[in-house]
Amino acid sequence: MSQSSVPGCLAVALIASFAVPADSAQPAATNTDAPSVRATPQSPLSAVEYEQRKNRIVQFFEQQRAGYRAVATTRTKSGQIIDWILPQSQVADGVIAAPPDDGDDLPPKGQAYRASSLAAKAPGAPDRTAQTEVQLDASMRGPKGTVPVVRFDVEAYLRQVKNLPLDPRQIVSKAPPAPSPASNNRYYVVWHRFADVYGTSGYINIWDTAGPVYGETSIAQTAVIRGTPMQAIEAGKIEHAAFAPASQPVLFTYFRTNDAASGDWVGGYNALVRGWVQVSPTVAPGMSLVGWSSVAGGPQYDLDLEVRLFNGNWWVKAAGQWAGYYPYCIGGGAPPCASGTLFSAAGIRDKADRLDWYGEIYDSSAPASTSTDMGSGAYANAQFGHAAYFRNLTYYWSADSYWWWDSGSLSVTDAACYSGLGPYFHTDPTWRNWFYYGGPGREGAGCL
């Protein structure tokens, strides 16, 4: 996908703060695994129905924004709108948790790398790791002491998706994993680890994937998972019409407490529903990664990513910063929890029992195949500089100790559409392990 030019950033604009209405109604949680309806030539909406759905979407996001007190607004060079809030306003007791100490999570000294097999040669070094626009340009930041929340760009979404969902909450929901695109419209290339774990870290090779078509989704991510119904935290890169700049690389987080149910303190993306607590002043879910797209045969860019359970909170680190966390208590306060814990003891409150790193495609035309690309759009056998990859994947086997994944195999939904290659292992400290993934979908030979 070619990147278009965008207006320069606007100066910081202070806006009047407002009190949250005492009777402000929050949308009830919904338990649906149906993704939002996508624009297709076969299913147009009538003008009346379109206006009704549009008005519901506008009202939904206005209510969501009213749940926090913005003190400033900026616009980035990629066109994103960022509201700046006081961090303590996000939690019930006004106390923000402290992130992990990066100096305490090193592997035990003296242990040798336990790779079961070694690749003959590690790939070349990536050119740079990705950063956000706000990290790179201080003029886009809000007042000192505030933190960013990326505003859902309703106007951009309405331009991209014409066949709007009946329920606005479907925009912030996500269907749970299943084994085949015929059953739930998703393709995967995934490396699983099944064990009691407390977090994971690694690097995602960033590409500006061609498409996705018709507002479909192309994702590269990790997930920590446990429980039935599923509880999980997911994080990585997403390309989708719902996130501005539309269908271009964006950092995302997602949580679920009850499979695909969505709503405040129930589940959803980024800060579009209550649950995420923003801490970093420069890295936030929803921020654009559009300036860090790798080039076939040219520069390669990675995003560092970590999800870790620390002092009861699930923290997410990206672009070198602890961006924020999903708190132990509903409402964000410290225990004892007045409204209960965000995650359950049978879920991921105290640990996870499955880790995934994977590429994923949502396909609205399944069981027919889609043209939406995964990764770079190249099959995995194109390898470094052409196919997308994950590298240096670790797992926390205790609360404060990690190790590199050194076993297991890839699971691929349909290799004719999207393939995987690896995993590979090496003693190179920047390439302890890695795997390639991706593909063109319908354009691939044999992808029907």
PDB file of all heavy atoms in Angstrom, residues 334-346:
ATOM      1  N   ALA A 334      -6.664  -0.263  43.854  1.00  0.00           N
ATOM      2  CA  ALA A 334      -5.877  -1.326  44.467  1.00  0.00           C
ATOM      3  C   ALA A 334      -6.783  -2.260  45.269  1.00  0.00           C
ATOM      4  O   ALA A 334      -7.856  -1.868  45.728  1.00  0.00           O
ATOM      5  CB  ALA A 334      -4.813  -0.725  45.372  1.00  0.00           C
ATOM      6  N   PRO A 335      -6.381  -3.519  45.458  1.00  0.00           N
ATOM      7  CA  PRO A 335      -7.161  -4.450  46.295  1.00  0.00           C
ATOM      8  C   PRO A 335      -7.268  -3.927  47.727  1.00  0.00           C
ATOM      9  O   PRO A 335      -6.368  -3.212  48.181  1.00  0.00           O
ATOM     10  CB  PRO A 335      -6.333  -5.740  46.226  1.00  0.00           C
ATOM     11  CG  PRO A 335      -5.473  -5.583  45.003  1.00  0.00           C
ATOM     12  CD  PRO A 335      -5.195  -4.121  44.872  1.00  0.00           C
ATOM     13  N   PRO A 336      -8.354  -4.281  48.460  1.00  0.00           N
ATOM     14  CA  PRO A 336      -9.461  -5.149  48.010  1.00  0.00           C
ATOM     15  C   PRO A 336     -10.341  -4.453  46.976  1.00  0.00           C
ATOM     16  O   PRO A 336     -10.562  -3.253  47.066  1.00  0.00           O
ATOM     17  CB  PRO A 336     -10.227  -5.420  49.305  1.00  0.00           C
ATOM     18  CG  PRO A 336      -9.941  -4.229  50.165  1.00  0.00           C
ATOM     19  CD  PRO A 336      -8.529  -3.816  49.850  1.00  0.00           C
ATOM     20  N   CYS A 337     -10.815  -5.218  46.014  1.00  0.00           N
ATOM     21  CA  CYS A 337     -11.515  -4.657  44.869  1.00  0.00           C
ATOM     22  C   CYS A 337     -13.000  -4.482  45.168  1.00  0.00           C
ATOM     23  O   CYS A 337     -13.713  -5.472  45.396  1.00  0.00           O
ATOM     24  CB  CYS A 337     -11.339  -5.555  43.653  1.00  0.00           C
ATOM     25  SG  CYS A 337      -9.613  -5.886  43.206  1.00  0.00           S
ATOM     26  N   ALA A 338     -13.467  -3.248  45.125  1.00  0.00           N
ATOM     27  CA  ALA A 338     -14.862  -2.955  45.452  1.00  0.00           C
ATOM     28  C   ALA A 338     -15.831  -3.598  44.477  1.00  0.00           C
ATOM     29  O   ALA A 338     -16.929  -4.012  44.857  1.00  0.00           O
ATOM     30  CB  ALA A 338     -15.075  -1.443  45.487  1.00  0.00           C
ATOM     31  N   SER A 339     -15.427  -3.694  43.206  1.00  0.00           N
ATOM     32  CA  SER A 339     -16.317  -4.241  42.178  1.00  0.00           C
ATOM     33  C   SER A 339     -15.823  -5.561  41.615  1.00  0.00           C
ATOM     34  O   SER A 339     -16.272  -6.002  40.556  1.00  0.00           O
ATOM     35  CB  SER A 339     -16.485  -3.229  41.038  1.00  0.00           C
ATOM     36  OG  SER A 339     -17.017  -2.020  41.504  1.00  0.00           O
ATOM     37  N   GLY A 340     -14.883  -6.200  42.296  1.00  0.00           N
ATOM     38  CA  GLY A 340     -14.350  -7.453  41.812  1.00  0.00           C
ATOM     39  C   GLY A 340     -13.124  -7.260  40.946  1.00  0.00           C
ATOM     40  O   GLY A 340     -12.734  -6.140  40.601  1.00  0.00           O
ATOM     41  N   THR A 341     -12.486  -8.357  40.580  1.00  0.00           N
ATOM     42  CA  THR A 341     -11.284  -8.303  39.756  1.00  0.00           C
ATOM     43  C   THR A 341     -11.661  -8.282  38.280  1.00  0.00           C
ATOM     44  O   THR A 341     -12.697  -8.816  37.878  1.00  0.00           O
ATOM     45  CB  THR A 341     -10.372  -9.500  40.037  1.00  0.00           C
ATOM     46  OG1 THR A 341     -11.077 -10.724  39.770  1.00  0.00           O
ATOM     47  CG2 THR A 341      -9.907  -9.489  41.486  1.00  0.00           C
ATOM     48  N   LEU A 342     -10.805  -7.653  37.476  1.00  0.00           N
ATOM     49  CA  LEU A 342     -11.063  -7.573  36.033  1.00  0.00           C
ATOM     50  C   LEU A 342     -11.070  -8.967  35.412  1.00  0.00           C
ATOM     51  O   LEU A 342     -11.953  -9.305  34.632  1.00  0.00           O
ATOM     52  CB  LEU A 342     -10.010  -6.686  35.367  1.00  0.00           C
ATOM     53  CG  LEU A 342     -10.140  -6.501  33.863  1.00  0.00           C
ATOM     54  CD1 LEU A 342     -11.469  -5.852  33.498  1.00  0.00           C
ATOM     55  CD2 LEU A 342      -8.978  -5.660  33.321  1.00  0.00           C
ATOM     56  N   PHE A 343     -10.075  -9.770  35.753  1.00  0.00           N
ATOM     57  CA  PHE A 343      -9.990 -11.145  35.268  1.00  0.00           C
ATOM     58  C   PHE A 343     -10.268 -12.104  36.419  1.00  0.00           C
ATOM     59  O   PHE A 343     -10.106 -11.742  37.587  1.00  0.00           O
ATOM     60  CB  PHE A 343      -8.613 -11.407  34.657  1.00  0.00           C
ATOM     61  CG  PHE A 343      -8.268 -10.486  33.521  1.00  0.00           C
ATOM     62  CD1 PHE A 343      -7.308  -9.490  33.680  1.00  0.00           C
ATOM     63  CD2 PHE A 343      -8.907 -10.596  32.300  1.00  0.00           C
ATOM     64  CE1 PHE A 343      -6.996  -8.629  32.647  1.00  0.00           C
ATOM     65  CE2 PHE A 343      -8.605  -9.737  31.255  1.00  0.00           C
ATOM     66  CZ  PHE A 343      -7.643  -8.750  31.423  1.00  0.00           C
ATOM     67  N   SER A 344     -10.662 -13.323  36.104  1.00  0.00           N
ATOM     68  CA  SER A 344     -11.042 -14.288  37.131  1.00  0.00           C
ATOM     69  C   SER A 344      -9.886 -15.211  37.481  1.00  0.00           C
ATOM     70  O   SER A 344      -8.916 -15.337  36.727  1.00  0.00           O
ATOM     71  CB  SER A 344     -12.228 -15.123  36.651  1.00  0.00           C
ATOM     72  OG  SER A 344     -11.825 -15.999  35.609  1.00  0.00           O
ATOM     73  N   ALA A 345     -10.032 -15.902  38.634  1.00  0.00           N
ATOM     74  CA  ALA A 345      -9.012 -16.861  39.052  1.00  0.00           C
ATOM     75  C   ALA A 345      -8.915 -18.016  38.073  1.00  0.00           C
ATOM     76  O   ALA A 345      -7.842 -18.605  37.893  1.00  0.00           O
ATOM     77  CB  ALA A 345      -9.335 -17.388  40.449  1.00  0.00           C
ATOM     78  N   ALA A 346     -10.015 -18.364  37.404  1.00  0.00           N
ATOM     79  CA  ALA A 346     -10.002 -19.422  36.401  1.00  0.00           C
ATOM     80  C   ALA A 346      -9.496 -18.921  35.050  1.00  0.00           C
ATOM     81  O   ALA A 346      -9.253 -19.718  34.148  1.00  0.00           O
ATOM     82  CB  ALA A 346     -11.401 -20.014  36.239  1.00  0.00           C
TER      83      ALA A 346
END
